[in-house]
Amino acid sequence: MVINVFRRAQTFNFFLLAAVILLLRLAVLLNPGLYKGLIVYQPFVKLLVFFQFNFLSNPVNNILITSVVVFIQAVIFGRIITRHNFFNKTTFLPELMYVVVCSMFTEFLTFSPIVFCNFFLLWILDKIFSLYRTQSTLQSVFDMGFIIGLGSLLYFPFLFIFPIVWYSLLVFKAFSWREWFTGLIGLIIPYILLGTWYFWNDDFNDFYHLWLPFKFVLPQELAIEKSDYFALVPIVIVLLLSLNQVRVMFFKNVVQVRKSLQCLSFLMVLIVASYFLIPDRSINHLLLAAAPAATFMTFYFISAKVRWFYEWVFALLIISIFYFQLF
């Protein structure tokens, strides 16, 4: 029922999408004890926040504001997917899959720098998908590097996705050392500007001390909480079904879509790998994988033929979200 409704592009789906977002947060809204408080992940955030956001300390306000942000991101994501012709028809399924992935864990429901970094990630994806038609890529590559550098000021591990810039150049364009170097320049420009601001204000020592918490130590074991493993099972099942559908349809798609899917696959690998490599890892980091995961999930739900089965799979996904929010 739900999948069939969102398969069609209609204005009414905007209201349904908002209702789904609130529904997936209902358990936490009705039981504030499940609320995970606001977490400031990086010292750099203190440089960029000039106001006290005390209203975010209220669970209801925090979750509702995050819901609005996720809604906006879902709409932007859907327009990106439609503009770059990932599917043969206009559909609201990308938006639906995005909000579902952004609701998988209780930690995803509250505002954090990672939530805001998804705006930067969507911006980068739009530029990556546009490389196929771009003649001169220097400006786009510089912009992508700059966006990643800017996002890393809010959430430093965002820096780990930078290799997607170089990988995208390999996929869409012939090798050019100027383009690779331009991306690197864009990446370091935000830090040069920030360091210059500190230097002119005679606070350069403070800028140096900000880097001290980022000493990298390779973890001795790659593990997450058992409850997180179980919560990932339903979405892994959907992703396996989706990847099988992508495999079947891969060579039936146009070249641009095939190359874009390669970039999305590499981006997911980067995000998952960086999750295990960051010293103080949190499940929140996987929120960065919302856009690529939602894209692959859409491939399954938009092309599945057996209605009772794909509706049951989606229902299982929603039920699992409620279950792991409550327990």
Side-chain angles (χ1 to χ4, degrees):
M1 177 67 178
V2 177
I3 297 298
N4 270 5
V5 171
F6 278 91
R7 275 184 169 184
R8 299 184 297 272
Q10 49 192 352
T11 305
F12 184 65
N13 283 343
F14 284 108
F15 300 99
L16 289 179
L17 187 68
V20 169
I21 293 175
L22 292 176
L23 180 65
L24 294 176
R25 287 152 176 76
L26 190 61
V28 181
L29 287 172
L30 295 178
N31 186 4
L34 301 173
Y35 170 76
K36 306 292 184 181
L38 177 67
I39 303 172
V40 177
Y41 290 88
Q42 307 298 333
F44 287 117
V45 174
K46 299 175 183 178
L47 307 177
L48 307 174
V49 178
F50 300 99
F51 303 98
Q52 294 294 325
F53 295 95
N54 295 326
F55 59 91
L56 289 177
S57 61
N58 181 286
V60 175
N61 290 342
N62 194 310
I63 294 170
L64 290 178
I65 291 172
T66 306
S67 300
V68 173
V69 172
V70 170
F71 178 84
I72 295 172
Q73 290 175 349
V75 173
I76 294 173
F77 171 65
R79 299 291 76 81
I80 292 172
I81 295 298
T82 301
R83 182 165 59 250
H84 295 287
N85 299 314
F86 270 73
F87 307 103
N88 295 326
K89 57 182 179 179
T90 305
T91 174
F92 254 73
L93 283 177
E95 289 94 327
L96 177 63
M97 294 301 114
Y98 186 88
V99 302
V100 168
V101 176
C102 288
S103 308
M104 283 301 301
F105 299 97
T106 306
E107 291 84 353
F108 287 4
L109 307 183
T110 53
F111 195 83
S112 70
I114 305 175
V115 174
F116 196 82
C117 279
N118 268 335
F119 280 115
F120 294 127
L121 189 60
L122 293 174
W123 194 0
I124 292 167
L125 289 178
D126 189 35
K127 288 186 172 293
I128 288 174
F129 301 153
S130 299
L131 286 176
Y132 187 75
R133 301 188 184 93
T134 305
Q135 296 299 322
S136 178
T137 57
L138 287 177
Q139 181 177 348
S140 293
V141 173
F142 176 86
D143 290 345
M144 286 190 282
F146 185 84
I147 293 166
I148 293 173
L150 200 61
S152 68
L153 294 180
L154 293 175
Y155 178 63
F156 190 71
F158 193 68
L159 204 67
F160 284 109
I161 72 166
F162 178 76
I164 190 60
V165 177
W166 288 342
Y167 183 82
S168 301
L169 289 173
L170 287 176
V171 171
F172 284 101
K173 301 291 182 181
F175 175 77
S176 170
W177 69 268
R178 293 176 62 207
E179 293 173 350
W180 283 50
F181 190 65
T182 299
L184 198 57
I185 292 174
L187 179 69
I188 64 176
I189 286 295
Y191 291 96
I192 292 176
L193 295 175
L194 190 63
T196 303
W197 184 84
Y198 264 83
F199 176 78
W200 283 110
N201 287 276
D202 296 323
D203 290 327
F204 196 76
N205 285 334
D206 292 338
F207 178 73
Y208 167 75
H209 287 297
L210 286 172
W211 292 87
L212 297 181
F214 302 130
K215 295 178 179 178
F216 180 78
V217 179
L218 188 67
Q220 299 299 314
E221 57 180 359
L222 304 180
I224 61 178
E225 295 181 10
K226 291 182 180 179
S227 59
D228 293 336
Y229 276 121
F230 292 127
L232 285 171
V233 169
I235 198 169
V236 168
I237 293 173
V238 176
L239 282 175
L240 289 175
L241 292 171
S242 304
L243 292 175
N244 180 64
Q245 189 62 42
V246 170
R247 178 189 62 82
V248 172
M249 299 177 60
F250 187 76
F251 291 104
K252 297 179 182 179
N253 290 314
V254 297
V255 175
Q256 178 191 0
V257 174
R258 293 206 300 265
K259 291 186 175 184
S260 298
L261 289 174
Q262 288 177 262
C263 293
L264 284 173
S265 300
F266 184 73
L267 179 60
M268 281 203 70
V269 171
L270 280 178
I271 293 170
V272 173
S274 61
Y275 167 78
F276 288 110
L277 291 176
I278 54 180
D280 299 320
R281 55 184 179 272
S282 167
I283 198 68
N284 300 64
H285 181 78
L286 295 181
L287 186 59
L288 293 174
T295 306
F296 289 118
M297 291 166 66
T298 303
F299 267 95
Y300 169 70
F301 285 109
I302 201 172
S303 57
K305 304 297 183 184
V306 184
R307 179 174 176 178
W308 69 266
F309 183 74
Y310 65 70
E311 292 285 4
W312 176 84
V313 169
F314 182 73
L316 177 64
L317 191 59
I318 299 301
I319 291 171
S320 68
I321 291 174
F322 280 116
Y323 177 82
F324 288 108
Q325 283 181 7
L326 294 171
F327 304 100

